[in-house]
Amino acid sequence: MLTGKHLIAGEWVAGAQMFLSLPAYGEARAFSVGTPAHVAAACERAEAAFWSYSALSRDARATFLDRIAEEIDARGTEITAIGTSETGLPAARLEGERARTTGQLRLFAAHIRQGKYLDIRHDPALPDRKPLPRPDIRLVQRPIGPVAVFGASNFPLAFSTAGGDTASALAAGCPVVVKGHSAHPGTSEIVAQAIAGAIAACDIHPGVFSLIQGGRRDVGEALVQHPLINAVGFTGSLSGGRALFNLCAARPNPIPFFGELGSVNPMFLLPHAVAARGVEIATGWAASLTMGAGQFCTNPGIAVLIDGPEAQAFIAAAKAALDPVPVQTMLTDGIAAAYREGRDRISGTAGVGSVLTNICATRTAAPCLFEVSGEAWLANHALGEEVFGPLGLIVRVRDAAQIQQIARALPGQLTCTLHLDAADTDHARQLLPVLQRKAGRILANGFPTGVEVCDAMVHGGPYPASTNFGATSVGTMSIRRWLRPVSYQNMPAVLLELCTD
């Protein structure tokens, strides 16, 4: 049963004002509006919880993460029902995303049990070293304190209440205060109920987790500026993320802001690959571009290839694959409106030609495809800005040298993709060093939509893909965002045990 309330340190707290959810279909429900006072209460309780929670053994924290996963799975049917209503996403997508959410909780539990994330380093004492002896020094990663997490609109489970930011922070030993996204408040509350169940079952301090629903801009600002918050995790728009990033930097004690802000995820189609299988690549691109109405941060929005007959065949094949794709429901009216604005911005840009356009209204989107010359793209960097939805832009370039120009002109990206055959290897060798500077993940002969949760994954990149190029928001390395290194010099072994478990 939904309460419509905030969960603050184990207590369901009502607000003085309410807001109505805006589901894709089904019943609208009323939820409490968060306030800075709710933020303050949650942060104070998170700080109180930090001392006992950060001192738990790795095994105890891992058991807690496993129990959260169990509690979420136990509510699976309820989560799917409310999630599909609120977001318009199909049941299969919600079930898959729930499996990813619980899977990453269990992965993080196994990872911290191993202790590798602590990155323990030891330089033993050298008492006889000349001219000066060396002390015994050990380095260990330690949790930083309470963390703020902003739920994402496009992933109501995997990047929201118990998603990657929350799971990794809890794995690191940090309490979490979540600002739920107003696009799916019911889904957020049910997941919060699951976390509350795990807290009770594991006898964890209830301040380790709070969920504040809704709220205006003042709630987000109060959260990132609260002096007890030590870092922020965010997935969302460039404008919203940059505003929060600036607030974090302007605090009397600045804190890190780990924001994933968007990317066009360009694909570079090399000549021999296009000649051999251009139609196949175009068909695969169309499927990736329109998956989930294009509402993925790794959606491959740009394809770059050398102009000529093979390029024209690629364009025709992409249009043929996109044309029958039906209208899809988008996550919110606002996202749908932004997609239409992005479509109109691209189509109205000098030098851009329309290959396929569709009229869509209210909360729906249909695929659009445009093409532009390399010269025109280089002359207008706005063409490299993300349009969140099923929109593709084909950049036709003169030659391999202009492909290099395009790659060098790109801002930071989450992903870059190379489509190549063996005969394209020399060309790829020249391009790869550029792409390594531009993206956190580089693919060969694939499509970037979908991110594997594993040890080796990087979901991040140079700005504006993310605000911290040395971090990832997916995979076990994401835990490192909420830790800082501490060196212990000549520390008695009995005290070191407290730091390494």
Side-chain angles (χ1 to χ4, degrees):
M1 296 292 294
L2 292 174
T3 69
K5 300 178 180 179
H6 314 289
L7 176 62
I8 298 179
E11 297 181 6
W12 293 99
V13 179
Q17 294 183 319
M18 307 294 285
F19 72 95
L20 282 178
S21 64
L22 298 172
Y25 61 86
E27 178 187 0
R29 295 174 171 85
F31 294 88
S32 295
V33 175
T35 66
H38 292 128
V39 168
C43 292
E44 288 163 9
R45 295 287 281 159
E47 176 68 13
F50 175 74
W51 303 105
S52 61
Y53 185 67
S54 63
L56 287 178
S57 69
R58 298 196 308 273
D59 186 66
R61 287 207 306 275
T63 298
F64 176 47
L65 295 179
D66 283 334
R67 184 58 185 259
I68 295 174
E70 293 171 11
E71 295 283 346
I72 290 173
D73 280 338
R75 294 164 173 80
T77 300
E78 191 179 0
I79 289 171
T80 298
I82 188 69
T84 53
S85 170
E86 288 184 326
T87 66
L89 295 171
R93 156 70 192 273
L94 266 296
E95 289 164 2
E97 192 179 329
R98 175 166 56 85
R100 171 177 167 170
T101 304
T102 57
Q104 66 189 359
L105 282 160
R106 293 182 173 110
L107 173 66
F108 292 165
H111 184 73
I112 63 173
R113 281 191 175 102
Q114 295 171 356
K116 294 180 181 179
Y117 76 105
L118 294 171
D119 191 23
I120 297 174
R121 306 181 185 201
H122 182 207
D123 290 303
L126 298 175
D128 299 325
R129 190 183 68 174
K130 303 298 182 183
L132 295 172
R134 183 176 76 188
D136 183 273
I137 302 176
R138 296 172 187 264
L139 180 149
V140 183
Q141 301 288 334
R142 301 303 302 156
I144 59 174
V147 166
V149 170
F150 287 73
S153 63
N154 61 332
F155 279 90
L157 298 173
F159 277 93
S160 289
T161 310
D165 288 345
T166 297
S168 58
L170 292 175
C174 298
V176 177
V177 179
V178 173
K179 183 183 182 298
H181 200 287
S182 58
H184 43 76
T187 308
S188 297
E189 183 182 325
I190 296 172
V191 175
Q193 291 175 7
I195 299 174
I199 289 172
C202 297
D203 194 24
I204 303 290
H205 190 299
V208 77
F209 175 83
S210 293
L211 169 68
I212 300 170
Q213 295 275 32
R216 301 176 182 85
R217 182 176 297 179
D218 61 341
V219 173
E221 292 176 351
L223 185 55
V224 302
Q225 291 182 304
H226 196 283
L228 295 177
I229 291 296
N230 289 265
V232 178
F234 174 89
T235 297
S237 69
L238 175 58
S239 60
R242 183 57 197 246
L244 294 174
F245 173 83
N246 291 343
L247 287 174
C248 288
R251 287 174 38 143
N253 58 324
I255 59 173
F257 179 84
F258 296 101
E260 190 265 280
L261 307 183
S263 176
V264 295
N265 306 295
M267 304 189 309
F268 295 87
L269 284 62
L270 303 189
H272 290 90
V274 176
R277 48 192 175 85
V279 171
E280 176 187 341
I281 297 171
T283 303
W285 182 40
S288 180
L289 192 67
T290 57
M291 183 186 298
Q295 298 169 113
F296 291 91
C297 46
T298 53
N299 197 35
I302 291 181
V304 182
L305 72 169
I306 296 175
D307 203 3
E310 290 87 359
Q312 296 305 317
F314 174 85
I315 294 171
K319 178 182 180 182
L322 290 170
D323 197 35
V325 175
V327 169
Q328 296 174 275
T329 300
M330 300 200 86
L331 291 159
T332 69
D333 290 337
I335 290 174
Y339 174 68
R340 293 192 295 271
E341 291 170 4
R343 175 202 63 193
D344 295 344
R345 172 176 60 82
I346 296 292
S347 65
T349 300
V352 173
S354 174
V355 178
L356 174 68
T357 56
N358 281 290
I359 297 174
C360 42
T362 61
R363 197 166 167 169
T364 63
C368 294
L369 185 63
F370 301 95
E371 56 87 23
V372 68
S373 69
E375 290 83 2
W377 191 92
L378 288 166
N380 189 342
H381 291 299
L383 293 174
E385 296 175 1
E386 180 184 29
V387 177
F388 195 64
L391 183 146
L393 178 64
I394 297 169
V395 183
R396 299 176 287 99
V397 301
R398 292 190 311 269
D399 50 26
Q402 196 167 59
I403 288 182
Q404 282 274 342
Q405 283 183 281
I406 297 289
R408 289 174 184 270
L410 286 166
Q413 303 291 325
L414 294 171
T415 74
C416 288
T417 300
L418 283 169
H419 286 278
L420 73 160
D421 281 358
D424 294 309
T425 300
D426 287 343
H427 188 169
R429 281 197 183 104
Q430 297 175 12
L431 192 54
L432 186 58
V434 181
L435 303 187
Q436 288 174 166
R437 291 193 66 188
K438 297 294 181 178
R441 178 164 57 114
I442 304 170
L443 297 83
N445 296 326
F447 299 96
T449 309
V451 182
E452 186 69 27
V453 182
C454 60
D455 289 333
M457 178 52 64
V458 172
H459 188 61
Y463 187 85
S466 61
T467 56
N468 190 309
F469 59 79
T472 176
S473 61
V474 176
T476 55
M477 201 175 80
S478 65
I479 298 171
R480 291 289 299 273
R481 294 174 297 168
W482 322 116
L483 300 166
R484 66 179 182 85
V486 178
S487 288
Y488 299 89
Q489 185 168 319
N490 291 334
M491 191 65 59
V494 67
L495 294 179
L496 280 173
E497 292 176 1
L498 302 175
C499 309
T500 57
D501 189 17

